[in-house]
C-alpha cells in the first residue's frame, strides 16, 4: 500500500465518520476498507433504539463490500470519538475483528487507527486478533 492510498483511506474514514448515526452513544466512527481490486468501501456506525441491532462502522464497510461481491481486502482505516470532541485511537471491537478474520490474511491485512490525518499507526490483524478462530479451523 502506498502512502498516498494510506492517506486516502484515512481521509475517507474521517469523511464517513460524519455520516455516523449515533444518537444513543454520541460516539461517531468512520471506516474505509480497501479491497484488493483498489475499491474503497466507506462505513459508519448505525445505532438503534433497541441498542443490540447497532452496527459498527467496520462491519458496515465489510458488509457493503461483500454484498457487492468483493471479498478480498488489504487494509481498513478506523477513526472514532465523541461528536464534537477530540478523536482517540479507536481499535476495532472483538466482533469486527472476527468479521475481518473471515476474509483477511492476518499477517497481510493492515488496520489503521489514530487521531488525525497526520497521526495514525498501522497494525496487522494478527496483532489485533492472535489465536483466532478462522475459516481454516473448519477445513477437513
Ligand atoms: N463502534 C464502532 O463503530 N467501531 C468500533 O470499533 C468501536 C465501537 C461503535 C459502536 C457504537 O455505535 C459506538 O461506537 C459506541 O460503542
Amino acid at each position: 500500500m502506498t502512502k498516498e492510498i494510506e492517506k486516502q483511506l484515512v481521509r475517507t474514514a474521517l469523511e464517513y465518520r460524519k455520516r455516523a448515526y449515533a444518537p444513543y452513544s454520541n460516539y461517531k466512527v468512520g471506516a474505509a476498507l480497501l479491497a484488493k481490486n483498489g475499491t474503497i468501501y466507506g462505513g459508519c456506525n448505525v445505532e438503534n433504539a433497541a441498542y443490540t441491532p447497532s452496527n459498527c462502522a467496520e462491519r458496515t464497510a465489510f458488509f457493503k463490500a461483500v454484498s457487492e461481491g468483493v471479498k478480498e481486502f488489504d487494509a481498513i482505516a478506523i477513526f472514532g470519538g465523541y461528536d464534537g470532541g477530540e478523536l482517540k485511537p479507536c481499535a476495532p471491537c472483538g466482533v469486527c475483528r472476527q468479521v475481518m478474520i473471515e476474509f483477511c490474511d492476518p499477517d497481510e491485512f493492515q488496520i489503521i487507527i489514530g487521531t488525525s490525518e497526520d497521526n495514525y499507526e498501522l497494525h496487522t490483524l494478527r496483532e489485533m486478533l492472535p489465536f483466532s478462530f478462522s475459516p481454516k479451523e473448519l477445513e477437513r
Side-chain angles (χ1 to χ4, degrees), residues 6 49 82 107:
E6 212 173 274
Y82 280 109
D107 295 310

Side-chain angles (χ1 to χ4, degrees), residues 17-94:
R17 183 172 170 264
K18 295 178 189 162
R19 302 184 184 182
Y21 176 73
Y24 306 105
S25 72
N26 212 32
Y27 189 88
K28 296 190 163 186
V29 187
L33 176 64
L34 175 66
K36 284 198 185 293
N37 68 11
T39 308
I40 295 173
Y41 294 89
C44 61
N45 53 334
V46 182
E47 296 186 347
N48 189 279
Y51 287 31
T52 40
S54 301
N55 207 50
C56 290
E58 299 91 313
R59 272 176 292 145
T60 303
F62 266 90
F63 296 161
K64 278 175 68 179
V66 174
S67 64
E68 294 297 333
V70 174
K71 287 180 289 234
E72 293 181 334
F73 308 101
D74 280 331
I76 191 168
I78 309 157
F79 284 83
Y82 280 109
D83 196 20
E86 290 195 354
L87 299 189
K88 287 189 185 157
C90 177
C93 82

